């Protein structure tokens, strides 16, 4: 097809003639087009159509772009038979061009002789390739013809600086915009405005004061300034156009709304002459079109760049220099739509709420630093005079050791294992409830400001894969019953997919457990190997080496499995064939969340609740593969190692996965696309200057949805809340990450991604339920961490039940049991029993067991059961008290702010008044018309009587 071709609808009077003319070639397989092609304007005349944002006429705006592959000419194509080359006339008819047939082409030059086998193989491959290309072209032409029947205007451009890519520019005229806006029930601002008032003068004064104080933190955009008046919004209706301000029709529907409308038309339009009905999703999936996307508003940098919303977003939102400012949520919604606007609004609220959590976490950490010198158990462990001999940490190669060498670990554990951590756990549980309530209120305010108060999710269009499966089922049913019935996919049809889902999910979770077990074996074997080293430095740093390397291995495995699990979850969701995009997204989110959550937290759960409890005792240890003894916690407890694992995993995921991958991978993909398009030789600045807007956007990364963005924040929310008792600095690291994350995501959306299609949404959907679930689980997890992982409960039990003076003196000795070294089993006693320079007869180990001289040696003591009962009681009390307090917070704080509730009620009253006045106006006009009609009829009657009376006189005069 000729380059830069423009379509316009055929006049209705000419349609029948075109149909008659074209019907003769339908048997060839070409699709009739109800359109003609107009002559294009020269690029010089249109000044590059204002950088590719408009059609060649410079007036009609490009609302959407479809790209397709153009087959490059080759020598093999010139050697083809004249089956298609002689068909120029039929092609011109198919395109609707009123021109005489061209002269027959000259005979092609004889090809160079080829071996018979090569010639046949090349001809078959060529014929198959040409057949597929022609089939794609015919489907495009049918689809584009159907788009024009829907009222859209198209213009093709194949003469671009992007080789091998053709572009279809789509414009929605005013009548189509009005029609679709009415179908979609889009709320648009009316001429009626009203004053927005606060609920009370005191609240208004407080808000005004706060706004003045925080004014430097607000972005310099019109949408973020306080509005005193608001336009009354109403669903657009062609019958009520007089309610809306249509003085400037070009700006009444902004670019976001126009592309949203065009996308709705694209989803409804189908290709019906293929083997099965194909929509835009199927056409993209089968390669008929390469991509479909709306255009960005313009450039973000460079000389003489016209002001546009994209440039403003780049300066006031995507720049790291404005990291301290609020986000321009109104402008984000205006440019990207409500769904993306809600994500960044939620991320902003979450980041703001992390500020008080970070402050309290830092205070708790500083409290541990200040009180570490006053911690009596740590002082007892560090006291060299006590000379407490501990049992070996491993069999044979490990020897006896003094408890005082664990001094540094005990002191470090106190930083995170102190009474303040209990308070911090309760605080974070209430913080999570406050965050959820604060977001609900913020969400309702945005719904009011964005005119979404009455919005309900409409039933989505069925997905192409679902329609294809239903069509296959219908055909099978027709072959059996010879009756055409409407079918749908039932649970029986999806049963194999459901079973595959269950098996694969269990398998993936089993893979996670197996890898965690492998890391455990690595730690055990490495510890034994390092203890055998002849280097004293290596032997003295065994614990630190094993902990750090195991945590790094866990991090690498988590990063790799995250990518694998994401692909597996998508594959499993595709197998289920969900009916709508919303159902597909929710099922994908749920599977991905389960797999990634298990992947991220399984190593942490093992350290927190299992490590050190499946060890046994000296003389009766538990072994892995009958060779390696199960690992136990340090004397200071597993809380310190839990903290190390949490910090490395959390920081590693944020730095590597969330930030490095988000920066590096899009740039790498963009570079690969440039190399594939053979444009790598051009300098980037020169390339950007030469390319049109739709060409530049073609090289940007496609928008893949908000699921990855939400998922990383939900996992981070788990790190912040689930094990916060062991890592009070987690909110601080999350806050620092999110400050960078917001600007990184902003830059990605504005500069690195194609513009997403605007989607309406009134909430964040299933993500809110996941947040509530994580917050509830966090209360239980923290209760168990405080009870079973930390020494908080054993210390309380000792202080109030066993201490002679109510102090913590003697606590360390109380928690250590005694073992007689003669009770070691064969080949388990240390090879060097005189490592400490003295013979050892009794050694100590951390547990509550009877001494060897008792009647029941090495059995669990009564102190163990007292501590266990206290631990379980604490879990029950902590869980119920904290959940009750969270429910109280939920009940006390209303979901809808009072001023928003009043404004919504006021809008309803104003809308009723507006329509009442309109009805009264109509009645008055009708009454005036009726009265005028009566007056006219009376006047006519009088004039008729007068004429009838004057007629005899006239007649008499004639005689």
């Amino acid at each position: 097809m000729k380059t830069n071709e423009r379509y316009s609808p055929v006049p209705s009077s000419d349609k029948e003639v075109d149909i008659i003319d074209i019907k003769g070639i339908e048997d060839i397989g070409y699709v009739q087009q109800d359109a003609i092609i107009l002559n294009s304007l020269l690029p010089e005349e249109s000044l590059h159509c204002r950088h590719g944002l408009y059609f060649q006429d410079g007036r009609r705006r490009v609302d959407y772009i479809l790209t397709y592959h153009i087959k490059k000419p080759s020598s093999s194509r010139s050697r083809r038979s004249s089956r298609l080359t002689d068909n120029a006339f039929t092609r011109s008819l198919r395109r609707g061009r009123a021109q005489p047939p061209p002269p027959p082409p000259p005979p092609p030059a004889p090809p160079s002789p080829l071996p018979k086998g090569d010639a046949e193989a090349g001809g078959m491959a060529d014929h198959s390739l040409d057949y597929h290309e022609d089939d794609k072209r015919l489907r495009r032409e049918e689809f584009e013809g159907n788009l024009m029947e829907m009222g859209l205007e198209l213009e093709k451009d194949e003469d671009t600086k992007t080789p091998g890519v053709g572009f279809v520019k789509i414009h929605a005229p005013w009548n189509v915009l009005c029609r679709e806006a009415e179908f979609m029930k889009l709320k648009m601002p009316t001429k009626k405005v009203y004053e927005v008032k606060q609920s009370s003068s005191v609240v208004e004064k407080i808000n005004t004061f706060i706004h003045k104080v925080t004014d430097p933190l607000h972005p310099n955009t019109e949408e973020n300034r306080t509005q005193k008046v608001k336009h009354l919004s109403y669903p657009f209706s062609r019958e009520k156009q007089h309610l809306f301000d249509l003085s400037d029709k070009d700006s009444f529907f902004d670019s976001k709304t126009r592309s949203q409308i065009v996308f709705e038309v694209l989803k409804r339009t189908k290709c019906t002459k293929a083997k099965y009905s194909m929509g835009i999703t199927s056409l993209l999936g089968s390669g008929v079109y390469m991509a479909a996307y709306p255009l960005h508003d313009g450039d973000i940098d460079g000389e003489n760049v016209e002001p546009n919303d994209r440039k403003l977003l780049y300066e006031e939102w995507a720049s790291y220099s404005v990291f301290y400012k609020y986000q321009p949520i109104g402008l984000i919604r205006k440019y990207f739509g409500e769904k993306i606007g809600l994500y960044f609004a939620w991320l902003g609220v979450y980041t703001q709420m992390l500020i008080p959590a970070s402050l309290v976490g830092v205070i708790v950490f500083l409290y541990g630093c200040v009180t570490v010198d006053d911690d009596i158990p740590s002082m007892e462990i560090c006291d060299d005079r006590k000379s407490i001999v501990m049992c070996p940490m491993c069999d044979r190669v490990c020897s006896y050791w003094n408890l005082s060498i664990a001094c540094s670990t005990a002191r470090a554990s106190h930083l995170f294992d102190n009474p303040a951590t209990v308070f911090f756990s309760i605080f974070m549980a209430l913080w999570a409830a406050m965050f959820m309530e604060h977001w609900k209120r913020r969400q309702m305010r945005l719904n009011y400001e964005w005119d979404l108060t009455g919005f309900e999710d409409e039933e989505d269009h069925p997905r192409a894969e679902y329609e294809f499966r239903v069509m296959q089922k219908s055909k099978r049913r027709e072959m059996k019953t010879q009756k055409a019935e409407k079918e749908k996919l039932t649970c029986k049809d999806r049963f194999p997919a459901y079973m595959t889902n269950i098996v694969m999910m269990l398998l993936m979770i089993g893979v996670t457990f197996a890898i965690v077990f492998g890391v455990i074996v690595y730690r055990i074997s490495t510890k034994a190997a390092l203890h055998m080293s002849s280097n004293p430095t290596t032997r003295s740093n065994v614990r630190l080496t094993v902990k750090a390397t195991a945590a790094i291995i866990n991090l690498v495995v988590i990063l790799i499995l995250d990518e694998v699990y994401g692909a597996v979850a998508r594959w499993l969701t595709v197998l289920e064939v969900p009916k709508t995009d919303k159902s597909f997204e929710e099922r994908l989110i749920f599977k991905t969340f389960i797999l990634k959550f298990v992947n991220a937290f399984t190593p942490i759960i093992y350290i927190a609740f299992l490590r050190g409890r499946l060890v046994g005792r000296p003389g009766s240890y538990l072994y892995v593969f009958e060779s390696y003894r199960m690992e136990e916690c340090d004397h200071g407890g597993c809380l310190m190692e839990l903290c190390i694992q949490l910090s490395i995993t959390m920081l590693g995921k944020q730095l590597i996965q969330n930030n490095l991958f988000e920066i590096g991978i899009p740039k790498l993909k963009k570079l690969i696309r440039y190399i594939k398009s053979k444009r790598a030789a051009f300098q980037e600045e020169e390339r950007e200057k030469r390319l049109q807007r739709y060409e530049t956007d073609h090289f940007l990364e496609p928008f893949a949805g908000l699921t990855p963005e939400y998922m990383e924040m939900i996992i981070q929310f788990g790190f912040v809340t689930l094990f916060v008792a062991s890592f009070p600095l987690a909110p601080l690291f999350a806050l620092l990450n999110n400050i960078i994350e917001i600007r990184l995501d902003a830059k990605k959306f504005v500069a690195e991604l194609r513009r997403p299609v605007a989607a309406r949404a009134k909430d964040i959907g299933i993500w809110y339920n996941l947040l509530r679930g994580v917050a509830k689980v966090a209360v239980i997890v923290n209760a168990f961490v405080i009870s079973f992982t930390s020494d908080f409960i054993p210390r309380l039990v000792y202080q109030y039940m066993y201490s002679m003076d109510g102090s913590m003196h003697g606590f360390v000795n109380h928690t250590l049991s005694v073992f007689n070294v003669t009770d070691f089993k064969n080949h388990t006693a240390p090879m060097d029993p005189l490592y400490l320079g003295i013979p050892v007869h009794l050694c100590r180990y951390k547990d509550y067991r009877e001494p060897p001289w008792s009647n029941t040696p090495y059995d669990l003591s009564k102190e163990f059961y007292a501590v266990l009962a206290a631990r379980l009681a604490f879990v029950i009390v902590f869980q119920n008290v904290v959940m009750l307090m969270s429910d109280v917070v939920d009940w006390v704080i209303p979901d809808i702010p009072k001023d928003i509730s009043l404004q919504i009620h006021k809008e309803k009253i104003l809308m009723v008044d507006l329509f009442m006045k309109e009805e009264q106006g109509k009645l008055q006009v009708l009454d005036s018309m009726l009265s005028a009609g009566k007056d006219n009829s009376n006047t006519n009657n009088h004039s008729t009587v007068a004429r009838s009376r004057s007629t005899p006189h006239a007649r008499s005069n004639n005689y």
Side-chain angles (χ1 to χ4, degrees):
M1 188 170 281
K2 200 171 182 179
T3 60
N4 291 335
E5 292 169 344
R6 298 189 323 174
Y7 297 83
S8 67
V10 176
S12 58
S13 60
D14 298 331
K15 285 186 177 181
E16 295 181 359
V17 178
D18 286 333
I19 291 172
I20 293 172
D21 290 340
I22 297 174
K23 192 175 175 82
I25 63 170
E26 283 188 2
D27 296 335
I28 304 174
Y30 294 114
V31 182
Q32 171 192 335
Q33 294 267 348
D34 192 16
I36 62 175
I37 301 172
L38 303 178
N39 294 327
S40 303
L41 297 177
L42 295 176
E44 294 84 356
E45 297 176 358
S46 61
L47 296 176
H48 295 283
C49 313
R50 291 192 247 180
H51 308 289
L53 292 172
Y54 291 83
F55 275 23
Q56 288 291 328
D57 56 16
R59 296 190 304 272
R60 291 177 292 174
R61 186 178 183 89
V62 177
D63 299 320
Y64 220 87
I65 289 291
L66 300 176
T67 67
Y68 56 93
H69 176 69
I70 302 175
K71 184 181 178 183
K72 299 177 182 178
S74 61
S75 58
S76 61
R77 191 177 179 94
S78 64
R79 294 195 298 268
R80 291 176 57 201
S81 65
S82 60
R83 180 176 62 86
L84 290 177
T85 56
D86 292 340
N87 220 7
F89 178 60
T90 56
R91 277 202 215 96
S92 65
L93 281 178
R94 173 174 51 80
R95 293 172 179 170
R97 305 177 74 176
Q99 62 183 26
S112 58
L114 291 171
K116 184 176 180 181
D118 293 348
E120 289 180 357
M124 291 294 291
D126 230 10
H127 176 74
S128 176
L129 181 62
D130 290 336
Y131 172 78
H132 287 299
E133 290 297 324
D134 290 340
D135 182 59
K136 289 180 181 179
R137 187 182 69 251
L138 298 178
R139 291 185 184 181
R140 283 198 299 268
E141 291 174 352
E142 181 194 357
F143 185 71
E144 290 161 14
N146 293 338
L147 289 179
M148 288 185 286
E149 289 180 1
M150 295 290 289
L152 298 178
E153 298 176 2
L154 311 181
E155 182 178 83
K156 276 195 174 182
D157 187 2
E158 295 180 353
D159 186 19
T160 65
K161 296 178 178 62
T162 307
V165 180
F167 296 87
V168 179
K169 295 177 275 189
I170 303 177
H171 169 76
W174 173 255
N175 61 329
V176 174
L177 294 173
C178 294
R179 181 191 70 206
E180 297 298 326
E182 184 173 351
F183 291 165
M184 297 169 64
K185 301 178 182 178
L186 294 180
K187 273 191 172 184
M188 304 301 294
T190 63
K191 299 176 184 177
K192 177 71 174 177
V193 295
Y194 66 95
E195 185 179 0
V196 179
K197 293 184 178 180
Q198 299 290 342
S199 56
S200 66
S201 59
V202 177
V203 174
E204 186 174 2
K205 289 179 180 179
I206 294 174
N207 289 337
T208 304
F209 174 76
I210 294 174
H211 186 78
K212 287 182 179 180
V213 171
T214 59
D215 187 62
L217 303 179
H218 290 277
N220 298 321
T221 59
E222 190 68 30
E223 285 74 11
N224 281 273
R225 290 167 189 163
T226 305
Q227 302 291 334
K228 296 294 183 181
V229 295
K230 185 178 184 295
H231 283 271
L232 193 64
S233 297
Y234 185 73
F236 187 84
S237 172
R238 287 171 289 181
E239 296 180 355
K240 299 183 181 298
Q241 290 192 26
H242 58 277
L243 296 177
F244 306 94
D245 184 9
L246 303 180
S247 57
D248 186 4
K249 293 184 178 180
D250 291 336
S251 62
F252 182 73
F253 295 106
D254 56 15
S255 60
K256 176 257 299 182
T257 307
R258 296 175 70 96
S259 63
Q260 186 179 359
I261 289 174
V262 172
F263 182 67
E264 190 69 21
V265 177
L266 289 174
K267 287 196 297 184
R268 286 207 315 266
T269 307
K270 305 290 182 183
C271 280
T272 57
K273 292 194 176 181
K275 292 183 180 179
Y276 58 93
S277 177
M278 299 181 70
I280 185 60
T281 307
S282 301
L283 294 174
L284 289 169
S286 59
V288 177
Y289 288 105
M290 296 170 60
Y293 52 89
L295 292 181
H296 281 292
D297 278 356
D299 294 325
I300 55 178
D301 53 10
E303 298 179 0
N304 302 322
V305 175
E306 296 181 0
N308 57 77
D309 288 341
R310 187 189 185 199
K311 184 174 184 296
L312 186 59
L313 281 172
Y314 189 79
E315 294 171 351
E316 296 294 331
W317 181 44
S319 175
Y320 289 106
S321 61
V322 294
F323 74 92
Y324 60 92
K325 288 188 176 183
Y326 294 111
Q327 300 180 88
I329 297 298
L331 186 60
I332 297 170
R333 174 253 180 178
K334 178 185 175 184
Y335 193 78
F336 292 111
E338 287 80 5
K339 193 170 186 178
I340 294 177
L342 280 174
Y343 163 71
F344 283 104
W346 173 83
L347 183 57
V349 170
Y350 172 49
T351 304
Q352 289 176 20
M353 290 293 293
L354 282 173
I355 295 175
S358 302
L359 292 175
V360 177
V362 170
I363 292 172
V364 169
F365 178 75
L366 293 177
Y367 171 82
C369 294
V370 171
T371 60
V372 67
D373 292 331
D374 300 328
D375 183 49
I376 296 176
S378 300
M379 294 168 61
E380 290 182 348
I381 292 174
C382 296
D383 191 357
D384 294 331
R385 296 170 298 178
K386 291 186 179 295
S387 185
I388 300 176
V389 179
M390 303 296 294
C391 296
M393 298 291 292
C394 59
D395 292 342
R396 302 289 293 169
V397 295
C398 300
S399 186
Y400 305 107
W401 54 285
N402 279 323
L403 181 60
S404 58
I405 68 173
C407 175
S408 58
T409 305
R411 289 173 64 87
S413 298
H414 178 75
L415 302 179
F416 307 99
D417 187 4
N418 56 70
T421 56
V422 180
F423 159 76
F424 190 55
S425 299
I426 298 173
F427 170 81
M428 287 303 295
L430 298 179
W431 173 88
M434 291 285 292
F435 164 59
M436 305 300 291
E437 291 303 310
H438 182 36
W439 167 243
K440 283 195 290 186
R441 291 170 62 84
R442 173 66 170 157
Q443 188 172 259
M444 285 303 303
R445 189 174 295 277
L446 291 177
N447 284 342
Y448 162 73
E449 294 175 357
W450 296 350
D451 300 320
L452 296 171
T453 48
F455 172 73
E456 294 293 336
D457 291 331
E458 299 177 1
E459 186 176 355
D460 208 350
H461 296 281
R463 300 175 64 248
E465 293 82 356
Y466 179 84
E467 291 182 334
F468 179 61
R469 287 285 298 273
V470 169
M471 185 206 66
Q472 288 181 323
K473 183 179 179 182
S474 300
K475 285 186 175 180
R476 290 195 298 267
R477 180 65 61 88
E478 289 177 14
M479 292 176 62
K480 293 180 181 178
T481 63
Q482 303 298 323
K483 294 181 180 179
E485 297 179 357
K486 188 175 181 181
E487 296 287 347
K488 65 178 182 179
L489 296 185
T490 61
C491 292
K492 183 179 180 181
D493 299 321
R494 293 191 173 103
F495 183 75
Y498 289 154
M499 292 303 298
T500 305
N501 270 261
I502 294 173
V503 172
M504 287 300 298
M505 292 284 286
L506 293 176
L507 177 62
M508 292 298 101
I509 293 174
V511 168
T512 302
F513 290 161
I515 291 176
V516 171
F517 181 73
V519 175
I520 295 171
V521 174
Y522 161 80
R523 275 201 295 255
I524 297 172
S525 58
T526 304
K527 182 185 292 185
L530 292 178
H531 273 293
M532 296 174 64
S533 174
S534 59
N535 190 339
T537 306
T538 303
R539 289 198 305 270
S540 61
N541 294 312
V542 168
R543 295 177 184 176
L544 180 62
T545 304
V546 171
K547 289 176 185 177
T549 55
I552 293 173
I553 291 172
N554 271 325
L555 172 63
V556 173
V557 170
I558 288 172
L559 294 178
I560 295 173
L561 289 184
D562 264 356
E563 303 302 320
V564 174
Y565 287 165
V568 170
R570 179 168 290 275
W571 173 66
L572 293 176
T573 309
V574 170
L575 286 182
E576 291 183 1
V577 196
K579 183 176 181 179
T580 63
D581 287 331
K582 182 179 179 181
S583 175
F584 181 90
E585 184 182 22
E586 289 181 348
R587 296 180 186 214
L588 175 62
I589 289 170
F590 181 74
K591 294 182 183 64
T592 308
F593 173 76
I594 292 295
L595 292 176
K596 291 193 174 185
F597 190 86
V598 171
N599 180 40
F601 290 102
T602 298
I604 299 171
I605 291 174
Y606 163 74
I607 294 174
F609 303 124
L610 299 178
R611 185 178 176 182
R613 289 169 179 79
L614 304 174
V615 178
R617 60 170 180 83
S620 181
Y621 284 114
L622 297 178
Y623 291 88
V624 179
F625 305 132
E626 298 183 357
S627 301
Y628 299 108
R629 203 172 88 189
M630 286 295 293
E631 54 185 348
E632 51 188 303
C633 297
D634 294 332
H635 184 77
C638 285
L639 205 65
M640 188 62 197
E641 187 162 351
L642 178 60
C643 177
I644 294 174
Q645 181 68 55
L646 268 170
S647 58
I648 291 180
T649 304
M650 182 178 179
L651 294 177
K653 279 180 65 68
Q654 291 180 165
L655 293 176
I656 298 175
Q657 188 178 44
N658 298 353
N659 295 333
L660 186 61
F661 284 5
E662 288 188 10
I663 296 173
I665 290 180
K667 289 187 178 296
L668 182 62
K669 289 182 178 179
K670 186 177 180 181
L671 178 63
I672 292 173
R673 282 196 298 272
Y674 278 135
I675 294 174
K676 285 184 178 180
S677 65
K678 297 182 179 181
R679 302 195 58 84
F682 292 96
Q683 294 295 328
E684 186 170 355
E685 294 181 0
E686 294 297 323
R687 178 170 57 240
E688 294 295 335
K689 290 179 181 178
R690 297 187 182 192
L691 294 182
Q692 298 284 347
R693 176 79 266 152
Y694 47 86
E695 294 179 87
T696 305
D697 287 1
H698 174 72
F699 289 106
L700 297 177
E701 181 75 10
F703 175 63
L706 290 170
T707 299
E709 315 298 335
Y710 272 115
M711 189 63 67
E712 67 183 63
M713 289 296 107
I714 295 293
I715 298 297
Q716 185 200 86
F717 183 76
F719 281 115
V720 169
T721 56
L722 287 176
F723 295 92
V724 74
S726 61
F727 191 36
L729 294 179
L732 176 63
F733 290 125
L735 173 64
L736 297 176
N737 173 80
N738 287 4
I739 292 174
I740 301 174
E741 179 76 17
I742 289 175
R743 306 305 163 180
L744 187 64
D745 283 348
K747 189 171 184 179
K748 182 173 68 174
F749 272 82
V750 174
E752 300 291 340
L753 296 180
R754 292 175 188 161
R755 187 175 184 177
V757 180
R760 289 186 294 172
K762 63 178 182 179
D763 52 40
I764 60 175
I766 191 176
W767 298 109
Y768 182 80
N769 297 328
L770 293 178
L771 283 170
R772 286 187 64 88
V774 171
K776 296 293 184 184
V777 172
V779 177
I780 302 173
V781 170
N782 281 300
F784 276 94
V785 167
I786 295 171
S787 296
F788 289 90
T789 309
S790 73
D791 282 338
F792 177 74
I793 299 300
R795 292 186 183 194
L796 285 181
V797 171
Y798 175 77
Q799 185 175 4
Y800 292 103
M801 291 183 63
Y802 299 102
S803 176
M804 301 298 294
D805 55 359
S807 68
M808 294 303 297
H809 290 287
F811 171 73
V812 174
N813 186 66
H814 177 76
T815 59
L816 297 177
S817 299
V818 181
F819 178 73
N820 192 335
V821 298
T822 59
D823 293 332
F824 274 122
K825 291 185 178 180
N826 293 333
H827 308 295
T828 61
M831 294 185 296
D832 186 11
L834 299 177
Y835 177 76
L836 296 178
I838 56 173
V840 177
H841 303 288
L842 297 174
C843 64
R844 310 294 295 274
Y845 61 98
K846 189 174 183 179
D847 205 348
Y848 291 100
R849 290 184 180 271
E850 296 291 344
W853 53 81
S854 68
N855 295 328
T856 54
Y858 306 124
D859 284 352
L860 295 174
S861 63
K862 61 180 182 180
E863 288 85 357
F864 171 83
Y865 293 104
V867 172
L868 179 63
R871 282 173 165 168
L872 294 176
F874 178 84
V875 169
I876 296 172
V877 172
F878 183 90
Q879 173 187 336
N880 287 279
V881 170
V882 173
M883 285 193 173
L884 177 62
M885 295 170 68
S886 300
D887 292 339
V888 170
V889 170
D890 192 0
W891 176 72
V892 169
I893 302 176
D895 294 345
I896 304 177
K898 186 177 180 181
D899 60 323
I900 296 300
S901 179
L902 294 175
Q903 297 296 345
I904 293 174
H905 182 66
K906 183 178 180 179
E907 275 196 357
K908 292 180 180 179
I909 296 174
L910 290 173
M911 188 61 67
V912 172
D913 291 343
L914 181 64
F915 284 111
M916 288 297 294
K917 291 179 180 178
E918 184 182 0
E919 291 296 324
Q920 291 175 1
K922 288 181 180 179
L923 290 175
Q924 291 177 0
V925 171
L926 184 61
D927 291 341
S928 61
M929 291 175 64
L930 289 175
S931 60
K934 289 180 181 180
D935 294 340
N936 291 335
S937 62
N938 292 334
T939 305
N940 292 335
N941 291 335
H942 288 304
S943 60
T944 303
V945 173
R947 282 198 302 270
S948 62
R949 290 177 178 175
S950 61
T951 301
H953 298 284
R955 290 177 179 175
S956 61
N957 292 335
N958 290 333
Y959 288 106

